[in-house]
Amino acid sequence: MNEETVIEARSLVRRYDKLVAVDNVSFEVYRGEIFGFLGPNGAGKTTTVRMLTGVIAPTGGTALVDGHDVVKEAIASRERLGIVPEEGNVYVDMSIWQNIMLMAELHGIARRRRRRRAEELLELFGLADRRRHKGRMLSKGLRQRLMLSMAMVSDPEILFLDEPTSGLDVASARLIREVIIHDSRERGATVFLTTHNIAEADEISSRVAIIDKGHLAAVDTPEVLRASVEASRSVEVTFASGGLDPEAIAGIVGVEKVKPLTRGLRIYTRKPGRVAQEVACLARETGAGIVTLATCEPSLEDVFLHLTGGAARDGGKPDG
Amino acid sequence: MDNPRPAVRAWRRQFHGVYVIAKKDAVLYYFQPPVLIYGMLLPAFFFAAFVMARGLDAVQAVPAIIAITLCFAASAVSPMVTPWERRSKTYERLISSPVSQTAIVLGDTVAGAVFGLALAGVALMLGLVFSDVHVARPGLLAGALLLSGSCFGGLGVLLSAPPTRNPSQIMMLSNLVRLPMVFISGVLLPLAEMPHWSRPFVVISPLSYCSDLVRTAFGAKPYFGVWVDFAALALFSIVFIFIAHFFHRRGRAKAL
């Protein structure tokens, strides 16, 4: 593989007394990729991020950021990072401008460069008119934009974003996603994205890791992960009126389960293409009027629920 | 040394970090009510009550108010800073920045020392304007204030080490330490006139040495000796900052 590793976790462990929050977690993140890190509440996502960013020390294992050990070479590794922590922690008694300048100064960015970059970020995030507003005056969405500005003011090689769009309005979440993608593509920044929003991870991540109860359940591209959950492939059919008898559908070879919908059926199968053809034939024979007929691939959410032991979702994301 | 440049650059970055942390503390915390109350009003009222009760003359009162103000003000900033930042979740931002724990501790110490020196400077000016006392040894006074400021700034950082998100808990702890210091340090009563039972306590309080030096700068005869005072204050500074660093480092991941 010719990808260059910029973040490497080797058998990371973090214990809190008897509780093992992160247990033997290993993965690599490649330069320039957006790496989604998914998991249910309490799975160990934030603990992993805190170990990688040097906030807490691992109880076992090691982690390297751009070749620097996060414990032994903590400052060198943190110099490369821009971080948006999980909770909205701007300085509420400082203005937007002062908050950005503080982070730039902590990263040792020269005065002229930090002022120029801050101006660019204020424009990018639509904060230019509010630069003198104190942190306490900002809505959650604006605060999150400020946090991202603070993380990006040093032009870091690696961005750690812990739930960056959680609880935001649609416009703010979209803006932040666009900026993340743009920053990764244009500047080649590596993004480590922790999120609950599976659709968001699916949309922007080149690879995804799923962590559950402190254990890493899977690491791969969303496409490969989706393909790994064949049982969630299905055919969704809706009818104008009447419809087909679920018993008759269940008799088609390859159909594993039939679930009634409001105006149709969801048919679970490992061979959705062939089953869709059979359903169309059966409808023609019986005179049932089909409105829509689509094959559905499993979504990343199906993968997530499958790996984390959650109940299977009703179906996948229609792709047809 | 094979390649001194990266090391020099790293040191410069950390010194700059000390400055940035101190500047941040000054902007955010100097005018917070708890800092003003515990750093300025409390010693002022405390002193006023004592002066009225005992009728101190200016020669005793002016050095006393300078020493008390310096002690209370310099040690009032940090007990506000760290728990407040833990509560408002900005502490995680600081410790994940490329600034070392040492730089954070020293930055907080400097912030406290500067605040203490500023208020002690005001007390000195008021004393010189409104009384007939004069500074006999200005260089000694400047050295005493600088060293005492860093010592009490370090004390403040040490007091803020318990990993809590509640500033009032730390303020309570700090007053538990600072208030008795006033009584055992010969601030309001010359050390030579202190009761015998209190003498062992006198030597373990940094305020005793600060007070002795300030009095000496105003022309009094030193109780311990000038160099003993300086050495003791330097030792207290190093010990406070060293222990504070140890506990802040140990508790950095707690109460996030």
Side-chain angles (χ1 to χ4, degrees):
Chain A
M1 200 175 274
N2 57 7
E3 285 101 341
E4 185 191 352
T5 302
V6 285
I7 302 171
E8 187 175 0
R10 295 178 189 159
S11 307
L12 274 184
V13 178
R14 177 67 201 192
R15 289 190 190 88
Y16 294 99
D17 298 321
K18 287 179 182 172
L19 173 74
V20 184
V22 173
D23 191 5
N24 202 29
V25 164
S26 300
F27 58 83
E28 293 179 349
V29 179
Y30 305 127
R31 189 174 297 283
E33 77 170 330
I34 299 177
F35 186 83
F37 199 57
L38 302 174
N41 288 335
K45 300 188 298 291
T46 297
T47 304
T48 304
V49 169
R50 283 178 170 166
M51 285 191 281
L52 293 174
T53 54
V55 172
I56 56 175
T59 317
T62 55
L64 304 178
V65 169
D66 211 11
H68 297 280
D69 189 296
V70 296
V71 176
K72 293 174 186 161
E73 302 164 278
I75 302 298
S77 69
R78 293 206 294 262
E79 277 177 349
R80 285 147 178 84
L81 306 182
I83 302 168
V84 174
E86 186 182 10
E87 296 188 54
N89 56 357
V90 302
Y91 284 93
V92 294
D93 290 322
M94 279 183 166
S95 68
I96 286 177
W97 181 260
Q98 286 174 317
N99 268 289
I100 298 174
M101 287 299 109
L102 173 63
M103 285 319 293
E105 285 194 75
L106 287 171
H107 276 83
I109 309 298
R111 184 184 170 86
R112 187 178 292 180
R113 191 182 138 203
R114 70 175 177 252
R115 294 180 77 87
R116 192 187 65 234
R117 184 64 177 139
E119 293 287 356
E120 289 171 3
L121 289 166
L122 289 178
E123 288 297 331
L124 181 66
F125 285 105
L127 296 170
D129 295 340
R130 304 169 195 258
R131 69 180 62 213
R132 290 193 179 84
H133 287 200
K134 300 266 189 203
R136 68 171 71 256
M137 296 164 66
L138 304 178
S139 65
K140 183 170 171 59
L142 293 176
R143 217 178 260 206
Q144 202 70 3
R145 293 182 198 194
L146 170 57
M147 297 235 290
L148 211 53
S149 303
M150 292 163 77
M152 291 171 66
V153 71
S154 58
D155 288 324
E157 293 167 44
I158 303 160
L159 272 172
F160 275 91
L161 311 176
D162 201 352
E163 307 283 357
T165 59
S166 175
L168 297 191
D169 61 277
V170 175
S172 291
R174 186 171 177 176
L175 173 66
I176 286 173
R177 274 198 292 274
E178 285 172 358
V179 170
I180 293 168
I181 294 169
H182 183 267
D183 198 50
S184 178
R185 283 189 188 150
E186 298 298 313
R187 219 168 44 77
T190 307
V191 179
F192 190 100
L193 173 73
T194 301
T195 179
H196 276 107
N197 187 337
I198 296 169
E200 177 178 273
D202 201 2
E203 181 189 337
I204 69 174
S205 304
S206 37
R207 287 192 310 136
V208 166
I210 296 176
I211 187 170
D212 184 36
K213 295 174 188 155
H215 295 274
L216 205 61
V219 186
D220 220 315
T221 61
E223 294 76 23
V224 171
L225 289 176
R226 278 196 295 268
S228 69
V229 191
E230 284 201 344
S232 291
R233 301 176 82 187
S234 62
V235 174
E236 186 178 294
V237 56
T238 59
F239 305 102
S241 61
L244 292 169
D245 178 10
E247 295 288 323
I249 298 285
I252 297 173
V253 176
V255 170
E256 295 175 0
K257 193 171 94 180
V258 180
K259 183 171 181 165
L261 303 175
T262 312
R263 289 199 310 272
L265 300 167
R266 182 176 298 282
I267 306 154
Y268 290 93
T269 173
R270 288 167 201 269
K271 299 184 186 320
R274 211 182 73 187
V275 168
Q277 287 176 0
E278 295 283 340
V279 169
C281 287
L282 195 60
R284 202 164 39 239
E285 286 166 12
T286 59
I290 291 178
V291 176
T292 62
L293 178 66
T295 59
C296 305
E297 290 299 318
S299 67
L300 194 56
E301 190 172 332
D302 292 317
V303 178
F304 179 83
L305 291 172
H306 176 72
L307 291 172
T308 58
R313 210 168 63 111
D314 283 347
K317 191 190 290 178
D319 63 358
Chain B
M1 213 183 294
D2 292 329
N3 186 4
R5 281 195 163 181
V8 171
R9 182 179 155 271
W11 275 101
R12 282 182 57 184
R13 285 287 303 278
Q14 294 310 313
F15 275 118
H16 181 70
V18 173
Y19 162 72
V20 175
I21 297 286
K23 189 171 76 169
K24 179 262 300 172
D25 288 351
V27 169
L28 285 174
Y29 300 105
Y30 277 5
F31 298 103
Q32 290 289 341
V35 173
L36 294 175
I37 290 167
Y38 291 110
M40 199 165 72
L41 293 182
L42 186 69
F45 287 132
F46 196 41
F47 171 79
F50 210 88
V51 166
M52 278 188 263
R54 287 184 49 84
L56 290 179
D57 58 26
V59 176
Q60 284 184 316
V62 173
I65 188 67
I66 291 170
I68 293 177
T69 302
L70 183 58
C71 172
F72 275 72
S75 59
V77 177
S78 275
M80 179 74 194
V81 174
T82 310
W84 188 268
E85 297 225 0
R86 285 184 194 276
R87 174 187 279 187
S88 58
K89 303 282 180 189
T90 49
Y91 191 67
E92 183 168 348
R93 184 171 284 291
L94 278 189
I95 62 177
S96 61
S97 75
V99 171
S100 67
Q101 189 71 53
T102 311
I104 294 173
V105 166
L106 289 176
D108 289 344
T109 304
V110 170
V114 170
F115 186 65
L117 288 169
L119 291 188
V122 171
L124 172 64
M125 290 301 154
L126 291 175
L128 294 177
V129 169
F130 292 107
S131 75
D132 56 355
V133 297
H134 69 282
V135 181
R137 299 168 71 179
L140 179 70
L141 182 63
L145 294 182
L146 279 173
L147 196 52
S148 301
S150 63
C151 176
F152 296 128
L155 174 64
V157 182
L158 175 59
L159 291 169
S160 72
T164 173
R165 293 180 184 180
N166 195 344
S168 65
Q169 285 180 351
I170 298 292
M171 286 295 183
M172 207 160 60
L173 171 69
S174 65
N175 284 330
L176 209 64
V177 173
R178 295 183 307 174
L179 289 175
M181 272 169 59
V182 177
F183 294 102
I184 62 167
S185 302
V187 180
L188 299 164
L189 190 67
L191 288 165
E193 296 173 24
M194 299 265 298
H196 272 287
W197 62 264
S198 67
R199 300 286 167 87
F201 299 106
V202 168
V203 293
I204 60 166
S205 167
L207 186 54
S208 304
Y209 305 98
C210 167
S211 163
D212 196 33
L213 274 179
V214 175
R215 275 185 210 283
T216 307
F218 276 89
K221 194 176 168 214
Y223 178 79
F224 295 111
V226 168
W227 293 111
V228 173
D229 289 331
F230 272 117
L233 284 171
L235 186 66
F236 273 114
S237 300
I238 292 166
V239 169
F240 286 156
I241 292 170
F242 185 81
I243 299 174
H245 180 264
F246 173 80
F247 282 112
H248 276 273
R249 193 184 175 97
R250 204 174 72 161
R252 69 188 252 135
K254 293 178 184 168
L256 285 176

